[in-house]
Amino acid sequence: IKRVIGLPGDRVRYIDKQLYVNGEPVPQKLLAQLPPAKPRFRLSSELMGGGEHEVQTDMMRHSDDFAITVKPDHFFMMGDNRDNSSDSRVWGQVPERGIVGKACAIWMHWDSVFSVPSFQRVGAIK
């Protein structure tokens, strides 16, 4: 599941792991750097579209910077695990007809690609 980042006509940029929409940086608030002793991951709260979303970045991976203008009748989607997400950066912009619903709950969660699924986060999406 991915989140809508860009609407038709929006200019979306991602520079040094900072997201910009129409020239404005999307506000972020640092929540944690994990593990605390030798941080590798940065967990931030991103304020966008009237909502607050947790975003994770891997500080050890280089930033795959890009800039794009969203095509008419299309949307630009991104995952909140920014350095480990197959999204519009990989499979392109999504035509409006390809958006079929809205996520309302978390069912399973994987801590890593090598872990078994966890049900600890089961529940409604805030």
Side-chain angles (χ1 to χ4, degrees), residues 29-96:
K29 177 176 62 174
L30 178 64
L31 299 176
Q33 294 190 90
L34 303 170
K38 190 174 180 183
R40 174 176 178 154
F41 298 101
R42 178 183 170 101
L43 184 62
S44 302
S45 173
E46 196 172 76
L47 304 170
M48 182 175 212
E52 193 169 344
H53 309 278
E54 287 186 7
V55 174
Q56 177 179 300
T57 54
D58 183 339
M59 298 179 336
M60 304 306 261
R61 290 178 69 172
H62 74 281
S63 181
D64 290 325
D65 299 345
F66 70 89
I68 194 163
T69 300
V70 183
K71 299 185 288 191
D73 301 318
H74 284 72
F75 296 84
F76 194 86
M77 316 294 273
M78 285 183 81
D80 290 335
N81 186 346
R82 294 286 160 80
D83 295 311
N84 190 24
S85 180
S86 180
D87 51 35
S88 284
R89 295 172 289 180
V90 175
W91 32 258
Q93 299 175 38
V94 178
E96 186 172 7

